[in-house]
Amino acid sequence: MSKQGLVAILPGDGIGPEVVAQAVRVIESLNQQAGLGLVCEAAPVGGAAYDLHGHPLPPATLELARRADAILLGAVGGPAWEALPREHRPERALLSLRSELNLFANLRPAILFPELVGASTLKPEVVSGLNLMIVRELTGGIYFGQPRGIRIEADGTRTGFNTMVYHESEIRRIAESAFQIARLRDRRLCSVEKANVLEVSELWREIVIEVGRQYPDVQLSHMYIDNASMQLIKAPKQFDVIVTSNLFGDILSDAASMLTGSIGMLPSASLDAAGKGMYEPVHGSAPDIAGGDMANPLATILSVAMMLRSTFGQGGLADRVEQAVRMALAEGYRTRDIAGSQDRVVGTAAMGDAVLAALAR
Ligand code: IPM
Ligand code: MG
């Protein structure tokens, strides 16, 4: 690589630090073996940051995230911080990072590794070979729309309200990202909304169709969110790329993750317009197993692969990391979450060892 890239390492809470540690080993190993030249700099985020500095996203952490070319985040949240006021909760850090850094395009692939077909609750023929990509709008919609709040009425009763709002420019840029991604895949894009009821969705559909005129090689379809959630469970392989809004994408991506059997396997990328990104496993902080060397580090390691590909233009090294994960699985290494009754279960660090060994071959 020509210039040294800076990666902000934000381990966060629960199992975050354990899985991030294994992913950092992968980066360091590529630095040594392949001259990758990435510099890692760590900072606290989430509940851990609140405990240290009284805020889930301290100014120094945000400053590092701004300065970095990419961010690797573990997970945030846990029961210890649930009772805090909203602005001090760990999740707040995630939402602020997304909006402060303009990370509007959230890529959530759901890929089923052949070795893990048995881990899905769905029939093997429904899910085997599954490889779909959800492109979720991440900095707009009802998550950030104004007005929002809880209002006290004249009679003392309360009304809660949020606003689902999209400006056409926000729709256009996420649609463009999705069409470009579809072009690198099977060239099929399904836009998911609720245009039969919501005006915001009506505009969404109109703009997506307009953007689609520049991508005649991509087959565009439209689906309502209720039907899409049904189709995702019924026949998930009909989808190649799904593009959808912030809230619908949040819901659909959890459903999609379960098609693959384990949320412990799924990476994600949140990108800005220039390819800077925050990379994180889709799973949460899993406080029940934190500190026990039980968590699956593969989603975080696969997030490093996405980082290499999307931010640093190192597709070859990304392929090698993904290949190494596949080799570790093929050799029979399983963390608890992906183990069948006959499998030998290994811990977080041992799974990291297996991936590093495969990477060195
Ligand atoms: C996700 C999470 C977050 C979201 C929460 C933790 C704020 O569910 O990344 O999908 O709703 O976006
Ligand atoms: Mg979610």
Side-chain angles (χ1 to χ4, degrees), residues 53-136:
H53 303 291
H55 197 281
L57 185 61
T61 300
L62 180 57
E63 187 273 326
L64 170 64
R66 281 194 203 284
R67 195 156 41 85
D69 301 293
I71 300 151
L72 182 67
L73 187 136
V76 296
W81 305 285
E82 261 161 29
L84 289 174
R86 195 170 287 279
E87 68 275 14
H88 281 153
R89 280 189 217 152
E91 293 77 11
R92 196 65 238 168
L94 257 189
L95 297 171
S96 302
L97 280 167
R98 290 169 181 174
S99 77
E100 290 289 324
L101 302 180
N102 243 313
L103 306 172
F104 68 90
N106 183 211
L107 278 43
R108 298 191 165 184
I111 295 171
L112 182 65
F113 289 83
E115 290 82 7
L116 301 181
V117 166
S120 176
T121 49
L122 297 189
K123 295 192 190 96
E125 62 269 28
V126 176
V127 290
S128 75
L130 181 80
N131 181 348
L132 73 87
M133 174 72 89
I134 295 182
V135 180
R136 168 189 177 194

Side-chain angles (χ1 to χ4, degrees), residues 265-348:
M265 294 296 301
L266 298 180
S268 76
S270 306
L271 305 174
D272 74 1
K276 173 171 177 158
M278 178 159 77
Y279 299 85
E280 52 177 317
V282 168
H283 63 69
S285 60
D288 52 319
I289 60 164
D293 191 43
M294 284 185 262
N296 185 348
L298 295 180
T300 316
I301 291 173
L302 291 167
S303 298
V304 168
M306 290 188 88
M307 173 192 296
L308 293 174
R309 191 175 285 122
S310 299
T311 294
F312 295 111
Q314 295 279 357
L317 291 182
D319 291 346
R320 274 184 60 193
V321 171
E322 287 166 356
Q323 194 57 35
V325 166
R326 235 161 272 149
M327 280 160 82
L329 290 173
E331 284 161 15
Y333 292 96
R334 299 284 186 278
T335 43
R336 228 175 47 141
D337 57 310
I338 50 174
S341 52
Q342 307 299 317
D343 289 322
R344 191 168 45 102
V345 174
V346 299
T348 311

Side-chain angles (χ1 to χ4, degrees), residues 136 143 225 229 232 246-256:
R136 168 189 177 194
Y143 269 54
I225 176 67
S229 57
L232 202 54
N246 206 341
L247 179 64
F248 296 161
D250 178 47
I251 299 166
L252 280 189
S253 61
D254 263 32

